[in-house]
Structure formats: structure tokens, C-alpha cells
Amino acid sequence: MENMGVVLALTGAVLAALFAGIGSAVGVGIAGEAAAGVVTEDPNKFSKVLVLQLLPGTQGIYGLLIGFITLTQIGIMGGSADISLAKGFLYLAACLPMAFVGWFSAIKQGKAAVASIGLVAKKPDQFGKAMIFPAMVETYAILALLISILAIFGIAGVNV
């Protein structure tokens, strides 16, 4: 029971990386299927559809970043990994926005990217506009990243 705070904090770090990574894998996968179909018909559109396919992958990177920051803050990656149960719960809670928003937004961004890939297939000159649709979903992943970062760094000053 004495290391339960570390276990909870570590669980938060793992959840952020795991769920955001799963969401990115799904999102990139479904966009990749659409991109492959377009490239089958017109190989010259490869670079445009590749950019759109890669967009849902950012949430996995954000989740990994939250995981690394948390591991550093709790002492797993250098220092003393000795935090209270209450702080462990705080770290777990701080990681959850990135875990869940990263998961869902990556999948939704993949679906938006599929639609944008369809747009580029029919009207390649509209690539700039096509980028905006999945990029709007990215906004919510960035907001979750920011709240998780602010919460994680804020916990250091909490006396519990």
C-alpha cells in the first residue's frame, strides 16, 4: 500500500499513452484505407492524401508526451518515486483528459480525414480547404493536451 500513489500516477501515464495511441492507430488506419484507394486511381495524389492520413496520428504523440511528463514528475524517470496516495490520484486525474479526448478525437479526426481524402480525390485543387476539416478536430486534442500539462505541473505545488 505504501507505493499506491506511484501506482495510480503510473496508471494515468499509461492510460494517456495507451488510449491516445489506440485512437491514433484507428484514425490513421481508416484514413489510410481511403488514401490507398485514391492512390490506386491516381498515384500523383499520394503526397496530398498522405498528409491527411497522418493527421490523426498526433494524438498518439500527445499521449506519449503526457506519459513522459508524468513519469518525470513522479520520479520514475530519475529521482525518487515516492508520492502520496492523494497525489497519485491527482496525477491519474490529470492524465485522463488526454487519454479520453485523445482516443475519441483521433478516431473522429480519422473519419474527417477520410471525407477530406474524398474531396482531394475529386478536386485536388481544394487540398487547403480539405485540411481544415480534420484540423478542426485537432483543436480538442490540443485543448486536452494543455489541460493535462497544466494539471500535471500544478500538482507539484500541492501539499497532500
Side-chain angles (χ1 to χ4, degrees), residues 15 22 45 49-50 75 88 93-94 102 107 109 114 121 125 148:
L15 289 175
I22 289 170
K45 294 178 181 161
V49 298
L50 178 64
I107 293 169
Q109 190 174 34
V114 167
D125 59 313
S148 285

Side-chain angles (χ1 to χ4, degrees), residues 48-146:
K48 288 182 179 179
V49 298
L50 178 64
V51 170
L52 292 167
Q53 181 206 358
L54 294 175
L55 286 175
T58 56
Q59 285 86 333
I61 296 168
Y62 301 159
L64 187 63
L65 177 63
I66 291 301
F68 280 141
I69 291 171
T70 303
L71 293 176
T72 302
Q73 291 292 307
I74 66 174
I76 294 288
M77 294 182 65
S80 173
D82 183 28
I83 60 172
S84 69
L85 182 63
K87 274 199 177 182
F89 272 117
L90 290 174
Y91 280 112
L92 173 61
C95 292
L96 292 180
M98 192 65 251
F100 289 107
V101 176
W103 182 14
F104 290 112
S105 69
I107 293 169
K108 294 298 184 181
Q109 190 174 34
K111 292 178 180 183
V114 167
S116 292
I117 288 166
L119 173 59
V120 168
K122 293 179 181 178
K123 297 183 182 263
D125 59 313
Q126 298 299 310
F127 174 72
K129 291 177 184 172
M131 283 281 295
I132 292 172
F133 300 123
M136 293 306 298
V137 182
E138 184 83 15
T139 303
Y140 298 97
I142 292 170
L143 294 174
L145 174 67
L146 289 174

